[in-house]
Amino acid sequence: MSENDEPVRKALLEDLDTGFGELYGAYRGLVFSTALRLSGRWADAEDLTAEAFLRAFKALAGYEPDRIAALQPRAWLMTILMNIWRNCARAKSRRPPTDLVDDPVETVDPREGVEETAARHETGDELAELLGQLPEEQRAAVVLRHVVDLPVSEIAMVLKIPQGTVKSHVSRGLHRLRALGGVR
């Protein structure tokens, strides 16, 4: 369970609108970075993040207080994100490929120096490319474990698979990344 879960849960119980603001503030970076590592594209990550929070808000509006009180917000948001990502990946695989070049627009942090921007961009692109070469289940497990830093028990809840399978996916994914030259 995340340290943000309890204050977010309390805020959601007091007032859904204010609480949702707390939820968004606490987890937007985590959801976006996870979406970016899963999709490999900035624009797709923005879309996935927006859709995840939209679905979360709609779901919360229908929840009873006891269900909100038992909610584990971080794991719950990751579950929503993973479901959206899988559905998008399935839909994308059914569409014919386009010949258009999809270069993501790079946003620049004005406080960041040129060297830092270049290093971050290069590392992020390399990681996205390497993660994109992993099978879907391994990519999801590796991202949730080593990017999001979820414990194995929460990853099992998010992916709806046994903890042993999570460990296997993470181990095989890391082994494959090492073979590809991306992890030491």
Side-chain angles (χ1 to χ4, degrees), residues 39-82:
S39 69
R41 294 190 60 244
W42 192 275
D44 290 345
E46 288 175 333
D47 291 345
L48 289 167
T49 301
E51 183 66 24
F53 280 105
L54 177 64
R55 288 188 188 184
F57 185 78
K58 287 179 179 179
L60 285 167
Y63 285 4
E64 296 294 324
D66 58 330
R67 186 165 182 190
I68 293 173
L71 193 66
Q72 293 182 11
R74 180 176 66 171
W76 179 70
L77 282 170
M78 289 297 109
T79 302
I80 292 170
L81 177 64
M82 294 304 297

Side-chain angles (χ1 to χ4, degrees), residues 151-167:
V152 171
S153 60
E154 284 188 38
I155 297 169
M157 282 188 337
V158 169
L159 298 178
K160 296 179 177 87
I161 57 176
Q163 289 185 29
T165 305
V166 169
K167 291 176 185 177

Side-chain angles (χ1 to χ4, degrees), residues 2-133:
S2 168
E3 69 222 23
N4 294 330
D5 282 358
E6 188 59 32
V8 166
R9 198 174 20 252
K10 284 181 181 178
L12 286 168
L13 284 167
E14 289 174 17
D15 177 57
L16 180 60
D17 293 333
T18 304
F20 187 78
E22 293 286 325
L23 175 80
Y24 181 77
Y27 295 108
R28 73 173 179 252
L30 177 70
V31 171
F32 178 79
S33 66
T34 304
L36 183 60
R37 297 296 177 239
L38 290 170
S39 69
R41 294 190 60 244
W42 192 275
D44 290 345
E46 288 175 333
D47 291 345
L48 289 167
T49 301
E51 183 66 24
F53 280 105
L54 177 64
R55 288 188 188 184
F57 185 78
K58 287 179 179 179
L60 285 167
Y63 285 4
E64 296 294 324
D66 58 330
R67 186 165 182 190
I68 293 173
L71 193 66
Q72 293 182 11
R74 180 176 66 171
W76 179 70
L77 282 170
M78 289 297 109
T79 302
I80 292 170
L81 177 64
M82 294 304 297
N83 289 336
I84 295 167
W85 174 65
R86 281 191 202 108
N87 291 340
C88 288
R90 269 189 230 115
K92 195 178 276 188
S93 71
R94 293 183 197 128
R95 280 183 258 145
T98 61
D99 292 309
L100 301 175
V101 176
D102 271 339
D103 288 333
V105 176
E106 177 69 23
T107 59
V108 179
D109 183 348
R111 299 168 300 203
E112 190 172 57
V114 174
E115 293 85 9
E116 291 89 5
T117 302
R120 180 180 49 80
H121 181 71
E122 185 175 300
T123 304
D125 286 350
E126 289 172 8
L127 181 59
E129 184 179 323
L130 291 170
L131 286 170
Q133 294 178 43

